[in-house]
Structure formats: structure tokens, C-alpha cells
């Protein structure tokens, strides 16, 4: 099956620091990766769509200067939360799209729990 | 606008059957997905429907009616481990997933 990994799985940081989260597709190439944020008891919120070799497309209301996304290769995308604040504490999940016939499916990483003190 | 509706919470008994409904209104349709999400974990894929009808996979089945903008996930022989949130998501014309808020399923012994 298609496996997506995320690192780290959990991070605690001080307010004002930057945190980088990696998303890797382990056994397939992902031309598109998605970054989601999930608040407690709420649906996944799409933050941005990341295409390899080009700038990410951010959803309305998501600050591109605060959430830096880099999709350097077909198997790696990174999300950097810059100058993190307590309100950035959340569960961040990436997914990677694999085009397989008619099934355009997204495979999810295990998520990263960010806690900003 | 785009909208996915599913019940917030459902309760069922171990060994029983439960049906979780999902209705949607989206710009375009490229398939409907059901995911299971345990607390604190990322969603895991359960099923995919793009044509009308019923798709069966073990204890789980998913049904789609595109004309009605309606789907359901049917869980049979419920087990305690099935306690989780079940997310309905539709892939729109831009191949992006539009998510429902999820249905929290509580299984009682």
C-alpha cells in the first residue's frame, strides 16, 4: 500500500520559535501534497495544496508567511510554522495524492501534534 | 457553496448494525470517500464510491446515489474498536477533498 510518514509525531515548543514538519511519501511519488489542520471536534481544514517544484496554493485565511510550505521533491513536502504562538497549537496532517487510474486518492500521514507553550 | 452534512454523533450496541448518512452539495463530483478516525490519529481510508450503488468490503459497506447527493456507510457486527469518528469527504471538480465534520460513533457493550 501507499505509505505516508510525518516527522515529528509530536512537538512541544516555546512561543516565538519555528517548527518544521516533514511529510514523506515512502513508496510512491506524490506530485501533490496537502496540508490540513484539525481543531478538536472539527473537520479537517485544508491549509494549502503543495505541488512539486512550484509555490504552494494557500486557502483563504491561511497566512503564507506564517505557514511556509516547501515541496522540494516528489516524495517530500515540509510545513514550517514560523514564530509559533499558543493559538497555533493543533494537529497538523499531511496527505499525498497518487493518481491511479480513476481513483484519485489521498493517503494520509499519521499527523503531528504541535503544542506551543 | 459546498456543503457536506452528516450527523454529529451516533450510539449503537456491540454486535448490531449502524448506518451513517452523508449528504453533499459540491461543485463537481469525482468520488466520495469514507474515512475512519480514532481520537488523536489521522484518518484512515475505508471506502471510495464514484458510481451509484453499494460497495461491500467485509463488515463495512458504502452506498452512493449521485442524483440524490447522498451516501451512507453501513457497519455490521459492530465491535468496540469501531468506536471512532467517521468522516465523509467528496472530491470536487478540482480534485480536492471537501470534508464533513465527522460522525462520532459510540459503541456500547
Amino acid at each position: 500500500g501507499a505509505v505516508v510518514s510525518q516527522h515529528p509525531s509530536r512537538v512541544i515548543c516555546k512561543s516565538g520559535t519555528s517548527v518544521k514538519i516533514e511529510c514523506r511519501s515512502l513508496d510512491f511519488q506524490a506530485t501533490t501534497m496537502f496540508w490540513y489542520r484539525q481543531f478538536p471536534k472539527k473537520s479537517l481544514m485544508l491549509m494549502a495544496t503543495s505541488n512539486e517544484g512550484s509555490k504552494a496554493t494557500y486557502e483563504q485565511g491561511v497566512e503564507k508567511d506564517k505557514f511556509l510550505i516547501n515541496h522540494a521533491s516528489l516524495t517530500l513536502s515540509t510545513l514550517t510554522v514560523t514564530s509559533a504562538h499558543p493559538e497555533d497549537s493543533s494537529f497538523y496532517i499531511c496527505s499525498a495524492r497518487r493518481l491511479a487510474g480513476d481513483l484519485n486518492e489521498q493517503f494520509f500521514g499519521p499527523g503531528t501534534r504541535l503544542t506551543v507553550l | 457553496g459546498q456543503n457536506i452534512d452528516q450527523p454529529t454523533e451516533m450510539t449503537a450496541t456491540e454486535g448490531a448494525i449502524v448506518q451513517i448518512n452523508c449528504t453533499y452539495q459540491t461543485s463537481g463530483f469525482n468520488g466520495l470517500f469514507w474515512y475512519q478516525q480514532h481520537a488523536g490519529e489521522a484518518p484512515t481510508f475505508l471506502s471510495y464510491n464514484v458510481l451509484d450503488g453499494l460497495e461491500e468490503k467485509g463488515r463495512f459497506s458504502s452506498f452512493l446515489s449521485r442524483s440524490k447527493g447522498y451516501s451512507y456507510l453501513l457497519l455490521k457486527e459492530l465491535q468496540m474498536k469501531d468506536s471512532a469518528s467517521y468522516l465523509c469527504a467528496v472530491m470536487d471538480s478540482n480534485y480536492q477533498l471537501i470534508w464533513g465534520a465527522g460522525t462520532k460513533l459510540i459503541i456500547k457493550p
Side-chain angles (χ1 to χ4, degrees), chain B residues 59-101:
Chain B
R59 293 189 299 116
F60 293 2
S61 303
S62 57
F63 171 84
L64 174 67
S65 169
R66 288 172 298 171
S67 62
K68 295 181 179 178
Y70 167 70
S71 172
Y72 68 72
L73 178 69
L74 191 71
L75 293 77
K76 303 176 185 176
E77 301 170 16
L78 287 170
Q79 302 174 9
M80 296 304 293
K81 67 178 182 179
D82 296 330
S83 292
S85 286
Y86 291 85
L87 306 174
C88 172
V90 172
M91 187 165 280
D92 67 7
S93 55
N94 294 318
Y95 293 95
Q96 287 194 342
L97 284 177
I98 310 300
W99 292 88

Short mmCIF file of all heavy atoms in Angstrom, two decimals, chain B residues 59-101:
data_model
loop_
_atom_site.label_atom_id
_atom_site.label_comp_id
_atom_site.label_asym_id
_atom_site.label_seq_id
_atom_site.Cartn_x
_atom_site.Cartn_y
_atom_site.Cartn_z
N ARG B 59 -16.97 -6.06 6.83
CA ARG B 59 -18.08 -5.62 7.69
C ARG B 59 -18.61 -4.24 7.29
O ARG B 59 -19.65 -3.81 7.75
CB ARG B 59 -17.62 -5.58 9.15
CG ARG B 59 -17.31 -6.92 9.76
CD ARG B 59 -17.09 -6.82 11.27
NE ARG B 59 -15.96 -5.96 11.61
CZ ARG B 59 -16.06 -4.83 12.28
NH1 ARG B 59 -17.25 -4.38 12.66
NH2 ARG B 59 -14.98 -4.12 12.59
N PHE B 60 -17.84 -3.56 6.43
CA PHE B 60 -18.22 -2.20 6.04
C PHE B 60 -18.75 -2.18 4.62
O PHE B 60 -18.21 -2.83 3.72
CB PHE B 60 -17.02 -1.26 6.14
CG PHE B 60 -16.52 -1.04 7.55
CD1 PHE B 60 -17.09 -1.67 8.63
CD2 PHE B 60 -15.45 -0.17 7.78
CE1 PHE B 60 -16.62 -1.45 9.91
CE2 PHE B 60 -14.97 0.05 9.06
CZ PHE B 60 -15.56 -0.59 10.14
N SER B 61 -19.82 -1.42 4.39
CA SER B 61 -20.35 -1.21 3.05
C SER B 61 -20.61 0.28 2.88
O SER B 61 -20.93 0.96 3.84
CB SER B 61 -21.67 -1.97 2.86
OG SER B 61 -21.52 -3.35 3.10
N SER B 62 -20.48 0.75 1.66
CA SER B 62 -20.78 2.16 1.38
C SER B 62 -21.67 2.25 0.16
O SER B 62 -21.47 1.54 -0.82
CB SER B 62 -19.49 2.96 1.18
OG SER B 62 -18.72 2.41 0.14
N PHE B 63 -22.64 3.14 0.25
CA PHE B 63 -23.63 3.30 -0.81
C PHE B 63 -23.58 4.73 -1.33
O PHE B 63 -23.33 5.68 -0.57
CB PHE B 63 -25.03 2.99 -0.27
CG PHE B 63 -26.15 3.35 -1.22
CD1 PHE B 63 -26.51 2.46 -2.21
CD2 PHE B 63 -26.82 4.55 -1.12
CE1 PHE B 63 -27.53 2.77 -3.10
CE2 PHE B 63 -27.83 4.89 -2.01
CZ PHE B 63 -28.19 3.99 -3.01
N LEU B 64 -23.83 4.89 -2.62
CA LEU B 64 -23.85 6.22 -3.23
C LEU B 64 -25.03 6.37 -4.17
O LEU B 64 -25.32 5.47 -4.96
CB LEU B 64 -22.56 6.46 -4.01
CG LEU B 64 -22.49 7.76 -4.82
CD1 LEU B 64 -22.45 8.97 -3.89
CD2 LEU B 64 -21.29 7.76 -5.76
N SER B 65 -25.69 7.54 -4.07
CA SER B 65 -26.67 7.95 -5.06
C SER B 65 -26.29 9.36 -5.50
O SER B 65 -26.47 10.33 -4.75
CB SER B 65 -28.08 7.96 -4.46
OG SER B 65 -28.99 8.60 -5.35
N ARG B 66 -25.74 9.48 -6.66
CA ARG B 66 -25.28 10.78 -7.14
C ARG B 66 -26.45 11.73 -7.43
O ARG B 66 -26.36 12.93 -7.18
CB ARG B 66 -24.43 10.61 -8.41
CG ARG B 66 -23.05 10.01 -8.14
CD ARG B 66 -22.34 9.68 -9.42
NE ARG B 66 -23.06 8.67 -10.18
CZ ARG B 66 -22.75 8.31 -11.42
NH1 ARG B 66 -21.74 8.87 -12.04
NH2 ARG B 66 -23.44 7.38 -12.04
N SER B 67 -27.55 11.19 -7.90
CA SER B 67 -28.70 12.04 -8.21
C SER B 67 -29.28 12.67 -6.95
O SER B 67 -29.81 13.78 -6.98
CB SER B 67 -29.78 11.24 -8.95
OG SER B 67 -30.26 10.18 -8.14
N LYS B 68 -29.14 11.97 -5.84
CA LYS B 68 -29.67 12.49 -4.58
C LYS B 68 -28.60 13.18 -3.74
O LYS B 68 -28.92 13.74 -2.69
CB LYS B 68 -30.29 11.35 -3.76
CG LYS B 68 -31.53 10.73 -4.41
CD LYS B 68 -32.11 9.63 -3.54
CE LYS B 68 -33.35 9.02 -4.20
NZ LYS B 68 -33.93 7.90 -3.39
N GLY B 69 -27.37 13.12 -4.18
CA GLY B 69 -26.30 13.71 -3.39
C GLY B 69 -26.22 13.07 -2.01
O GLY B 69 -26.13 13.74 -0.98
N TYR B 70 -26.23 11.73 -2.00
CA TYR B 70 -26.41 11.00 -0.74
C TYR B 70 -25.53 9.76 -0.72
O TYR B 70 -25.37 9.07 -1.72
CB TYR B 70 -27.88 10.61 -0.63
CG TYR B 70 -28.21 9.60 0.43
CD1 TYR B 70 -28.13 9.92 1.78
CD2 TYR B 70 -28.63 8.30 0.08
CE1 TYR B 70 -28.45 8.98 2.75
CE2 TYR B 70 -28.95 7.37 1.03
CZ TYR B 70 -28.86 7.72 2.37
OH TYR B 70 -29.18 6.79 3.33
N SER B 71 -24.99 9.52 0.45
CA SER B 71 -24.20 8.31 0.66
C SER B 71 -24.45 7.81 2.07
O SER B 71 -24.87 8.58 2.95
CB SER B 71 -22.71 8.61 0.48
OG SER B 71 -21.91 7.50 0.85
N TYR B 72 -24.22 6.55 2.28
CA TYR B 72 -24.19 6.05 3.66
C TYR B 72 -23.09 5.02 3.81
O TYR B 72 -22.70 4.35 2.86
CB TYR B 72 -25.55 5.50 4.11
CG TYR B 72 -26.03 4.23 3.43
CD1 TYR B 72 -25.45 2.99 3.69
CD2 TYR B 72 -27.13 4.27 2.56
CE1 TYR B 72 -25.91 1.84 3.07
CE2 TYR B 72 -27.60 3.12 1.94
CZ TYR B 72 -26.99 1.90 2.19
OH TYR B 72 -27.45 0.76 1.58
N LEU B 73 -22.63 4.93 5.05
CA LEU B 73 -21.66 3.92 5.45
C LEU B 73 -22.37 2.97 6.39
O LEU B 73 -22.97 3.40 7.37
CB LEU B 73 -20.46 4.56 6.15
CG LEU B 73 -19.37 3.62 6.65
CD1 LEU B 73 -18.62 3.00 5.46
CD2 LEU B 73 -18.40 4.37 7.56
N LEU B 74 -22.34 1.70 6.08
CA LEU B 74 -23.03 0.68 6.88
C LEU B 74 -21.99 -0.17 7.58
O LEU B 74 -21.11 -0.73 6.93
CB LEU B 74 -23.90 -0.19 5.97
CG LEU B 74 -24.88 -1.13 6.65
CD1 LEU B 74 -26.01 -0.33 7.29
CD2 LEU B 74 -25.46 -2.13 5.66
N LEU B 75 -22.08 -0.24 8.87
CA LEU B 75 -21.16 -1.05 9.65
C LEU B 75 -21.94 -2.19 10.31
O LEU B 75 -22.90 -1.96 11.04
CB LEU B 75 -20.48 -0.23 10.75
CG LEU B 75 -19.51 0.87 10.33
CD1 LEU B 75 -20.24 2.12 9.86
CD2 LEU B 75 -18.59 1.22 11.48
N LYS B 76 -21.51 -3.41 10.03
CA LYS B 76 -22.19 -4.59 10.57
C LYS B 76 -21.36 -5.21 11.69
O LYS B 76 -20.16 -4.98 11.81
CB LYS B 76 -22.39 -5.63 9.47
CG LYS B 76 -23.16 -5.15 8.27
CD LYS B 76 -23.23 -6.24 7.20
CE LYS B 76 -23.90 -5.74 5.94
NZ LYS B 76 -23.89 -6.76 4.86
N GLU B 77 -22.04 -6.03 12.49
CA GLU B 77 -21.35 -6.78 13.56
C GLU B 77 -20.39 -5.86 14.33
O GLU B 77 -19.20 -6.14 14.44
CB GLU B 77 -20.59 -7.97 12.96
CG GLU B 77 -21.47 -8.95 12.21
CD GLU B 77 -20.67 -9.98 11.43
OE1 GLU B 77 -19.46 -10.13 11.68
OE2 GLU B 77 -21.26 -10.61 10.53
N LEU B 78 -20.95 -4.80 14.84
CA LEU B 78 -20.14 -3.77 15.47
C LEU B 78 -19.26 -4.33 16.59
O LEU B 78 -19.68 -5.17 17.39
CB LEU B 78 -21.03 -2.66 16.03
CG LEU B 78 -21.66 -1.74 14.99
CD1 LEU B 78 -22.70 -0.84 15.64
CD2 LEU B 78 -20.59 -0.91 14.29
N GLN B 79 -18.03 -3.81 16.62
CA GLN B 79 -17.09 -4.17 17.66
C GLN B 79 -16.71 -2.90 18.42
O GLN B 79 -16.83 -1.79 17.89
CB GLN B 79 -15.84 -4.82 17.04
CG GLN B 79 -16.16 -6.07 16.22
CD GLN B 79 -14.95 -6.62 15.48
OE1 GLN B 79 -13.82 -6.19 15.70
NE2 GLN B 79 -15.18 -7.61 14.62
N MET B 80 -16.24 -3.10 19.63
CA MET B 80 -15.90 -1.94 20.46
C MET B 80 -14.84 -1.07 19.77
O MET B 80 -14.86 0.15 19.88
CB MET B 80 -15.40 -2.38 21.83
CG MET B 80 -16.44 -3.11 22.65
SD MET B 80 -17.96 -2.16 22.90
CE MET B 80 -17.35 -0.83 23.93
N LYS B 81 -13.95 -1.70 19.01
CA LYS B 81 -12.89 -0.95 18.34
C LYS B 81 -13.41 -0.06 17.20
O LYS B 81 -12.67 0.77 16.66
CB LYS B 81 -11.84 -1.91 17.77
CG LYS B 81 -12.35 -2.80 16.63
CD LYS B 81 -11.25 -3.69 16.09
CE LYS B 81 -11.76 -4.54 14.92
NZ LYS B 81 -10.69 -5.40 14.35
N ASP B 82 -14.69 -0.25 16.85
CA ASP B 82 -15.28 0.60 15.80
C ASP B 82 -15.66 1.97 16.35
O ASP B 82 -16.07 2.85 15.58
CB ASP B 82 -16.52 -0.08 15.21
CG ASP B 82 -16.20 -1.38 14.50
OD1 ASP B 82 -15.07 -1.51 13.97
OD2 ASP B 82 -17.07 -2.29 14.49
N SER B 83 -15.55 2.14 17.64
CA SER B 83 -15.80 3.46 18.23
C SER B 83 -14.77 4.44 17.68
O SER B 83 -13.57 4.29 17.93
CB SER B 83 -15.70 3.39 19.75
OG SER B 83 -16.74 2.63 20.30
N ALA B 84 -15.24 5.42 16.94
CA ALA B 84 -14.35 6.36 16.26
C ALA B 84 -15.21 7.42 15.60
O ALA B 84 -16.44 7.36 15.67
CB ALA B 84 -13.49 5.64 15.21
N SER B 85 -14.56 8.36 14.97
CA SER B 85 -15.28 9.31 14.13
C SER B 85 -15.20 8.83 12.69
O SER B 85 -14.17 8.31 12.25
CB SER B 85 -14.68 10.71 14.23
OG SER B 85 -15.00 11.30 15.45
N TYR B 86 -16.29 8.99 11.97
CA TYR B 86 -16.35 8.57 10.57
C TYR B 86 -16.58 9.81 9.72
O TYR B 86 -17.56 10.54 9.89
CB TYR B 86 -17.44 7.51 10.37
CG TYR B 86 -17.06 6.23 11.05
CD1 TYR B 86 -17.33 6.04 12.41
CD2 TYR B 86 -16.36 5.23 10.37
CE1 TYR B 86 -16.94 4.88 13.05
CE2 TYR B 86 -15.96 4.07 11.01
CZ TYR B 86 -16.24 3.90 12.35
OH TYR B 86 -15.83 2.76 13.00
N LEU B 87 -15.63 10.04 8.82
CA LEU B 87 -15.63 11.26 8.02
C LEU B 87 -16.04 10.96 6.59
O LEU B 87 -15.51 10.04 5.96
CB LEU B 87 -14.23 11.88 8.00
CG LEU B 87 -13.59 12.17 9.35
CD1 LEU B 87 -12.14 12.63 9.17
CD2 LEU B 87 -14.37 13.23 10.10
N CYS B 88 -16.98 11.74 6.10
CA CYS B 88 -17.41 11.67 4.71
C CYS B 88 -16.71 12.80 3.97
O CYS B 88 -16.64 13.93 4.46
CB CYS B 88 -18.93 11.85 4.67
SG CYS B 88 -19.65 12.03 3.03
N ALA B 89 -16.15 12.51 2.81
CA ALA B 89 -15.46 13.53 2.03
C ALA B 89 -15.76 13.35 0.56
O ALA B 89 -15.81 12.22 0.06
CB ALA B 89 -13.95 13.45 2.27
N VAL B 90 -15.98 14.46 -0.12
CA VAL B 90 -16.27 14.43 -1.56
C VAL B 90 -15.14 15.11 -2.31
O VAL B 90 -14.67 16.18 -1.91
CB VAL B 90 -17.61 15.15 -1.86
CG1 VAL B 90 -17.82 15.29 -3.37
CG2 VAL B 90 -18.76 14.39 -1.23
N MET B 91 -14.71 14.48 -3.40
CA MET B 91 -13.69 15.09 -4.24
C MET B 91 -14.39 15.94 -5.30
O MET B 91 -15.21 15.43 -6.06
CB MET B 91 -12.82 14.02 -4.89
CG MET B 91 -11.64 14.57 -5.66
SD MET B 91 -10.42 13.30 -6.04
CE MET B 91 -9.55 13.18 -4.48
N ASP B 92 -14.06 17.24 -5.31
CA ASP B 92 -14.80 18.13 -6.19
C ASP B 92 -14.15 18.19 -7.58
O ASP B 92 -13.27 17.39 -7.91
CB ASP B 92 -14.92 19.52 -5.56
CG ASP B 92 -13.59 20.26 -5.45
OD1 ASP B 92 -12.57 19.76 -5.98
OD2 ASP B 92 -13.55 21.32 -4.81
N SER B 93 -14.59 19.13 -8.38
CA SER B 93 -14.12 19.20 -9.77
C SER B 93 -12.64 19.55 -9.86
O SER B 93 -12.00 19.29 -10.88
CB SER B 93 -14.94 20.24 -10.55
OG SER B 93 -14.89 21.49 -9.90
N ASN B 94 -12.08 20.13 -8.80
CA ASN B 94 -10.65 20.44 -8.76
C ASN B 94 -9.84 19.33 -8.10
O ASN B 94 -8.66 19.52 -7.78
CB ASN B 94 -10.41 21.75 -7.99
CG ASN B 94 -11.00 22.94 -8.73
OD1 ASN B 94 -10.88 23.04 -9.94
ND2 ASN B 94 -11.65 23.83 -7.99
N TYR B 95 -10.48 18.20 -7.88
CA TYR B 95 -9.83 17.05 -7.26
C TYR B 95 -9.35 17.36 -5.85
O TYR B 95 -8.35 16.82 -5.39
CB TYR B 95 -8.68 16.52 -8.12
CG TYR B 95 -9.18 15.91 -9.41
CD1 TYR B 95 -9.24 16.66 -10.58
CD2 TYR B 95 -9.62 14.59 -9.45
CE1 TYR B 95 -9.74 16.11 -11.75
CE2 TYR B 95 -10.12 14.03 -10.61
CZ TYR B 95 -10.17 14.79 -11.76
OH TYR B 95 -10.66 14.25 -12.92
N GLN B 96 -10.07 18.23 -5.17
CA GLN B 96 -9.78 18.49 -3.76
C GLN B 96 -10.89 17.88 -2.92
O GLN B 96 -12.05 17.84 -3.32
CB GLN B 96 -9.70 19.99 -3.50
CG GLN B 96 -8.43 20.63 -4.05
CD GLN B 96 -8.20 22.01 -3.51
OE1 GLN B 96 -9.10 22.64 -3.00
NE2 GLN B 96 -6.97 22.49 -3.61
N LEU B 97 -10.49 17.40 -1.73
CA LEU B 97 -11.46 16.78 -0.84
C LEU B 97 -12.19 17.85 -0.03
O LEU B 97 -11.56 18.70 0.59
CB LEU B 97 -10.77 15.79 0.09
CG LEU B 97 -10.37 14.45 -0.52
CD1 LEU B 97 -9.63 13.60 0.50
CD2 LEU B 97 -11.58 13.70 -1.04
N ILE B 98 -13.51 17.76 -0.05
CA ILE B 98 -14.33 18.59 0.80
C ILE B 98 -14.83 17.71 1.94
O ILE B 98 -15.44 16.66 1.69
CB ILE B 98 -15.54 19.17 0.03
CG1 ILE B 98 -15.08 19.81 -1.28
CG2 ILE B 98 -16.30 20.17 0.90
CD1 ILE B 98 -14.10 20.96 -1.12
N TRP B 99 -14.58 18.13 3.15
CA TRP B 99 -14.82 17.24 4.29
C TRP B 99 -16.09 17.57 5.04
O TRP B 99 -16.43 18.74 5.25
CB TRP B 99 -13.65 17.36 5.28
CG TRP B 99 -12.38 16.81 4.75
CD1 TRP B 99 -11.45 17.47 4.01
CD2 TRP B 99 -11.90 15.48 4.91
NE1 TRP B 99 -10.41 16.61 3.70
CE2 TRP B 99 -10.65 15.39 4.23
CE3 TRP B 99 -12.40 14.34 5.54
CZ2 TRP B 99 -9.91 14.23 4.19
CZ3 TRP B 99 -11.66 13.17 5.51
CH2 TRP B 99 -10.43 13.12 4.83
N GLY B 100 -16.77 16.52 5.51
CA GLY B 100 -17.81 16.68 6.50
C GLY B 100 -17.16 16.82 7.87
O GLY B 100 -15.95 16.58 8.02
N ALA B 101 -17.93 17.20 8.85
CA ALA B 101 -17.39 17.41 10.20
C ALA B 101 -17.17 16.10 10.95
O ALA B 101 -16.57 16.09 12.02
CB ALA B 101 -18.31 18.32 11.00
#
